[in-house]
Amino acid sequence: MHSPRASHHRCSLEELERDRRPDPPDDATRLVVTAHALRRRPIGELTVEDLRLLIRQDVGLSYLLPMALEVLRDNPMAEGHMYAGDLLCAVITRSPAVWDGSAELRHELQVIVSGLVDVLPTFVQRDVERFRTATC
């Protein structure tokens, strides 16, 4: 029997959020077109890069942040198409208000970043410190 969480992986953000948006206009940016297409893909098929892109745009956070934390738990420096740790940066730079509704996820992320300070590039360390300051 599938858990409810596993069954979510077969659904798209449009289905989960019950929010089907019209196709973007012809002059839409590549980012808008890509994000729109990713909202229609089953979330279980999203790559690290897809998660990074959508999370940076604050899209589907209630579904995608738990998935991102699963990835980061195994590999805190998971990389999309930008640089090692780009998924972590996407996650930790969300508004502090995002974490207000999920103390469990916030705590899990705090645990993940707690052991990383010495191995992170300087610009990632700055984001981690901002996250720590904002969520403590």
Side-chain angles (χ1 to χ4, degrees), residues 117 119-130:
V117 176
V119 299
L120 297 173
T122 303
F123 67 96
V124 179
Q125 285 180 11
R126 284 191 299 263
D127 288 341
V128 167
E129 285 308 314
R130 278 189 218 112

Side-chain angles (χ1 to χ4, degrees), residues 11-15 24 30-55 57 59 64:
C11 299
S12 69
L13 286 172
E14 281 192 346
E15 293 166 330
R30 185 169 62 105
L31 176 61
V32 168
V33 171
T34 301
H36 183 78
L38 292 174
R39 284 184 43 76
R40 292 183 173 176
R41 183 178 299 164
I43 64 172
E45 295 177 10
L46 296 176
T47 65
V48 168
E49 173 60 15
D50 299 337
L51 290 171
R52 182 202 65 78
L53 184 146
L54 290 169
I55 289 169
Q57 299 304 309
V59 173
L64 301 184

Side-chain angles (χ1 to χ4, degrees), residues 5 13 17 43 46 51-52 54-56 58-73 87-102 104-106 108-109 112 131:
R5 191 170 188 186
L13 286 172
E17 296 176 339
I43 64 172
L46 296 176
L51 290 171
R52 182 202 65 78
L54 290 169
I55 289 169
R56 279 272 187 208
D58 292 320
V59 173
L61 295 180
S62 62
Y63 297 100
L64 301 184
L65 286 175
M67 291 177 63
L69 289 179
E70 286 178 28
V71 172
L72 295 171
R73 203 177 307 126
L87 179 61
L88 175 64
C89 284
V91 171
I92 63 174
T93 56
R94 295 312 85 215
S95 164
V98 167
W99 306 105
D100 290 346
S102 184
E104 185 178 316
L105 288 178
R106 178 181 61 231
E108 184 174 353
L109 185 54
I112 290 169
F131 169 76

